[in-house]
Amino acid sequence: MANFDIERKDNGDVTILHANGYLDAHTAPEFENALSTLIQEKRFKIVVSLEGLQYISSAGLGVFMGFIEEVRQNAGDIKISEVSPRVFKVFDLLGFPSLYEFYDSKQAAMEKFK
Amino acid sequence: MANFDIERKDNGDVTILHANGYLDAHTAPEFENALSTLIQEKRFKIVVSLEGLQYISSAGLGVFMGFIEEVRQNAGDIKISEVSPRVFKVFDLLGFPSLYEFYDSKQAAMEKFK
Amino acid sequence: MPGKKPHTLPEKKNSYRLKLPADSANLDIIRKFIAGIAENMGFSEEDIYQIELAVDEACANVIKHAYIGENTREKEIHVRVKTRAKKIEITIADRGIGFNPNSIKTPNMEEYLKRMKPGGLGLHLIKTLMDKVSFRINPGVRNEVKMSKSLVK
Amino acid sequence: MPGKKPHTLPEKKNSYRLKLPADSANLDIIRKFIAGIAENMGFSEEDIYQIELAVDEACANVIKHAYIGENTREKEIHVRVKTRAKKIEITIADRGIGFNPNSIKTPNMEEYLKRMKPGGLGLHLIKTLMDKVSFRINPGVRNEVKMSKSLVK
Ligand SMILES: Nc1ncnc2c1ncn2[C@@H]1O[C@H](COP(=O)(O)OP(=O)(O)O)[C@@H](O)[C@H]1O
Ligand SMILES: Nc1ncnc2c1ncn2[C@@H]1O[C@H](COP(=O)(O)OP(=O)(O)O)[C@@H](O)[C@H]1O
């Protein structure tokens, strides 16, 4: 079982989700739940920090895709921060940088919501 | 392939070998070579620091057994320091503490050679 | 002699097999198995990551798609790895419903991203990450995705 | 009805198989495979370490002893793992020369340590670390060391 966990930190109207470990088809539902909870709470300004993420498969990328439309329709966004080069490569191979904003720090990502 | 390496540090007539990683049937020959080199150099006062050792199997224990007699016949010893609880358990299961001295620090083990 | 192959030393060939339940909890075990073999062969960390990912995608597909509506058969993933000095060849097989690999077109990523809907990326990733990918489909008997990557030192 | 087993819910049973070359470079791969399964079952770190070690010892024996003097046959280790909710059962098998498990007596550790010679500890460790160990020897066909450990939560 891949180890994976999500930590949530609310900062005003922005929420930071720290995704740590291995995000694959087995752990993607956990990430999905975390995002789903935010949507239910109408918190649409989301930064996902991938500093602690060691691995991502397409099941993980799929979770990002599953929420982005609704989030943007509600004047929010999912911004991604601190992704490691090897994990970024997977996003990049599939063209995600044209749809998502990537930042070097949580702060920089949060600023953009101001 | 288990990752394993040996670092050697000479301190006067005592040599400290740091064994790091996984010591199994595949990597035991490396440890054997290190000890064998010391014997050839007539350096019989040996401290093996297992601080960085994460795993040992009977092939690793066998290496200790293979040299202890000759070392002691030459007024030397192989003393073991900083072994983790889980690795110590393997030594302990096989009664090694009655044949080998275990120390909490390299310093304490070296002292005994004074 | 024309057409005669040059006389070379036999390459070291090895074969590994793994069979396990088609359960997403096992993806991690499969990745570690593959990573261990690739590491022993001398692949770079970068390459190992990519091989793990390609295999993960193929196995995730078996888990998600192969045994839909089947309750009788044992739901297993078969992983076979053949190694040569400079090449790893991995076959992921199932005995499930099968699929037509030709009918699955490479997603146009621009279109795909505009739709903003998940899914359909696995096979595309496998083809992008590995040197060679082929399929052999025999529904209910054996459906294979075979992929290989060469070691460039 | 006398002798009738109590009616219980079916236990979740799973089966895993691994076949790979009998090469010490693969011990690491086998340990990770076993550790992954034991971890998913909920064994403690301490127990996982002990299960890995027992399996390592049995596999190291295959590598060191089973295929001595054999050059024709493929030198393979077969690992089979059966899991139930609270028990892991692991069989390590080879097709090598075999041995008589009864003739190998548990080393008297005191004697052993006095002789100060390496070797002969593997089977002893396996028996110490696992709950149950049994053998089935059929030289050249299939020699098995079967071991199991229960999960005590
Ligand atoms: N092992 C398999 N068994 C049955 N169908 C499969 C298998 N692998 C792939 N497929 C089919 O190919 C399609 C494309 O797979 P993929 O590109 O990984 O995307 P996704 O799994 O997200 O749909 C799947 O939707 C499925 O219909
Ligand atoms: N798979 C095997 N094939 C052949 N012989 C074996 C096998 N496993 C164990 N043996 C025999 O049992 C003996 C005891 O094994 P063990 O206790 O692990 O000690 P060691 O391997 O250090 O000799 C070995 O020396 C060997 O003769």
Side-chain angles (χ1 to χ4, degrees):
Chain A
M1 200 153 17
N3 59 28
F4 177 75
D5 68 74
I6 291 272
E7 283 166 74
R8 167 180 172 171
K9 276 190 195 129
D10 292 350
N11 275 278
D13 60 349
V14 181
T15 295
I16 302 178
L17 292 180
H18 293 83
N20 304 309
Y22 292 75
L23 181 51
D24 65 6
H26 192 66
T27 58
E30 258 181 83
F31 182 35
E32 208 165 344
N33 286 342
L35 280 172
S36 188
T37 303
L38 295 184
I39 307 298
Q40 278 163 34
E41 297 178 13
K42 307 217 172 296
R43 297 184 65 85
F44 299 111
K45 298 184 176 177
I46 303 168
V47 174
V48 179
S49 164
L50 299 183
E51 195 180 359
L53 198 77
Q54 295 180 59
Y55 178 86
I56 194 164
S57 74
S58 75
L61 297 182
V63 178
F64 284 94
M65 294 306 283
F67 292 95
I68 191 68
E69 202 168 1
E70 186 173 357
V71 163
R72 290 201 179 147
Q73 280 165 356
N74 286 280
D77 196 15
I78 301 176
K79 302 185 193 294
I80 301 171
S81 79
E82 298 145 293
V83 57
S84 72
R86 58 152 68 158
V87 169
F88 180 72
K89 171 128 193 201
V90 185
F91 281 102
D92 197 32
L93 276 177
L94 297 175
F96 276 58
S98 73
L99 191 62
Y100 293 85
E101 295 167 13
F102 290 81
Y103 295 91
D104 285 345
S105 71
K106 289 175 265 294
Q107 288 71 30
M110 287 173 64
E111 284 298 312
K112 293 285 165 176
F113 281 119
K114 296 276 156 74
Chain B
M1 199 152 20
N3 60 28
F4 177 74
D5 69 72
I6 290 273
E7 284 165 73
R8 168 180 170 171
K9 274 188 196 132
D10 292 350
N11 275 278
D13 60 348
V14 181
T15 295
I16 303 179
L17 292 180
H18 293 84
N20 304 312
Y22 292 76
L23 181 50
D24 65 6
H26 191 66
T27 57
E30 259 181 82
F31 182 36
E32 208 163 345
N33 285 343
L35 281 171
S36 190
T37 302
L38 295 183
I39 307 299
Q40 276 163 36
E41 296 178 14
K42 307 218 172 295
R43 297 184 65 85
F44 299 111
K45 297 182 177 178
I46 303 167
V47 174
V48 180
S49 163
L50 299 183
E51 196 180 0
L53 198 78
Q54 294 180 61
Y55 179 85
I56 194 164
S57 74
S58 74
L61 297 182
V63 177
F64 284 93
M65 293 306 283
F67 291 95
I68 191 68
E69 203 168 1
E70 187 173 357
V71 163
R72 290 199 179 150
Q73 278 164 359
N74 285 279
D77 197 15
I78 301 176
K79 301 186 194 294
I80 301 171
S81 79
E82 297 145 292
V83 58
S84 72
R86 57 150 73 154
V87 169
F88 179 73
K89 172 128 193 202
V90 185
F91 281 101
D92 196 32
L93 276 177
L94 296 173
F96 276 57
S98 72
L99 192 62
Y100 293 86
E101 294 166 14
F102 291 81
Y103 295 91
D104 286 344
S105 72
K106 289 175 264 296
Q107 289 70 30
M110 287 172 63
E111 284 297 314
K112 293 284 165 178
F113 281 120
K114 296 273 156 74
Chain C
M1 209 191 291
K4 195 172 181 267
K5 274 190 159 182
H7 191 78
T8 47
L9 282 171
E11 268 198 282
K12 205 187 161 204
K13 281 190 229 178
N14 275 314
S15 156
Y16 299 75
R17 272 156 203 277
L18 175 64
K19 287 189 196 183
L20 71 193
D23 182 321
S24 64
N26 291 330
L27 286 171
D28 194 43
I29 292 172
I30 299 168
R31 287 197 304 268
K32 283 179 181 151
F33 166 68
I34 292 293
I37 298 171
E39 203 183 317
N40 284 359
M41 291 177 69
F43 275 102
S44 68
E45 264 198 50
E46 177 68 22
D47 277 345
I48 295 171
Y49 189 86
Q50 298 194 358
I51 297 167
E52 277 185 64
L53 178 53
V55 169
D56 175 321
E57 295 293 341
C59 292
N61 276 346
V62 173
I63 294 162
K64 193 161 58 162
H65 304 294
Y67 296 108
I68 295 304
E70 297 225 19
N71 279 309
T72 45
R73 207 181 293 278
E74 283 222 45
K75 298 174 184 183
E76 278 191 330
I77 305 176
H78 297 206
V79 183
R80 193 184 64 208
V81 182
K82 289 188 183 173
T83 64
R84 307 193 166 226
K86 287 177 187 310
K87 189 173 145 190
I88 188 166
E89 182 189 280
I90 304 157
T91 306
I92 308 299
D94 62 68
R95 297 190 293 169
I97 57 170
F99 62 109
N100 181 352
N102 301 316
S103 78
I104 294 159
K105 48 179 176 15
T106 305
N108 175 326
M109 287 313 299
E110 227 166 292
E111 277 297 310
Y112 175 87
L113 291 166
K114 259 187 233 147
R115 281 190 296 118
M116 295 194 282
K117 283 280 165 292
L121 301 176
L123 290 177
H124 178 58
L125 262 181
I126 296 172
K127 289 178 193 162
T128 308
L129 296 168
M130 301 298 277
D131 293 345
K132 227 167 142 182
V133 182
S134 63
F135 302 88
R136 243 166 76 183
I137 304 299
N138 201 343
V141 182
R142 186 174 172 89
N143 308 298
E144 290 189 0
V145 182
K146 187 189 280 191
M147 51 184 101
S148 65
K149 198 176 184 86
S150 291
L151 183 60
V152 201
K153 283 202 215 187
Chain D
M1 208 191 294
K4 195 170 181 268
K5 275 189 154 184
H7 191 78
T8 47
L9 282 171
E11 268 198 282
K12 204 184 162 206
K13 281 191 225 178
N14 275 313
S15 155
Y16 299 75
R17 272 157 202 277
L18 175 64
K19 287 190 194 185
L20 71 192
D23 183 320
S24 63
N26 290 331
L27 286 172
D28 194 42
I29 292 171
I30 299 167
R31 288 197 304 268
K32 283 179 182 152
F33 166 69
I34 292 293
I37 299 170
E39 204 184 316
N40 284 359
M41 289 177 68
F43 276 102
S44 68
E45 265 198 50
E46 177 68 22
D47 277 345
I48 294 171
Y49 188 86
Q50 298 193 358
I51 297 168
E52 277 186 64
L53 178 53
V55 169
D56 176 322
E57 295 294 341
C59 293
N61 276 346
V62 173
I63 295 162
K64 192 161 61 162
H65 305 295
Y67 296 109
I68 296 303
E70 294 225 21
N71 280 309
T72 46
R73 207 182 293 277
E74 283 221 46
K75 298 174 183 182
E76 280 191 331
I77 305 176
H78 296 205
V79 183
R80 194 184 63 208
V81 182
K82 289 189 184 171
T83 63
R84 305 192 167 227
K86 287 177 186 308
K87 188 172 148 192
I88 188 167
E89 182 190 279
I90 303 157
T91 307
I92 308 299
D94 63 68
R95 296 189 295 168
I97 57 172
F99 63 108
N100 180 351
N102 302 318
S103 79
I104 293 159
K105 48 179 176 15
T106 305
N108 175 327
M109 288 312 299
E110 227 166 291
E111 278 296 310
Y112 175 88
L113 292 166
K114 260 187 231 146
R115 283 188 296 117
M116 294 194 282
K117 285 281 165 287
L121 301 178
L123 289 178
H124 178 58
L125 262 181
I126 296 171
K127 289 178 195 162
T128 309
L129 297 168
M130 301 298 278
D131 292 346
K132 226 166 144 180
V133 182
S134 64
F135 302 89
R136 243 165 76 181
I137 304 299
N138 200 344
V141 183
R142 187 175 172 87
N143 308 298
E144 290 188 359
V145 182
K146 188 189 280 191
M147 49 185 101
S148 64
K149 198 174 183 86
S150 291
L151 182 60
V152 202
K153 282 202 217 192

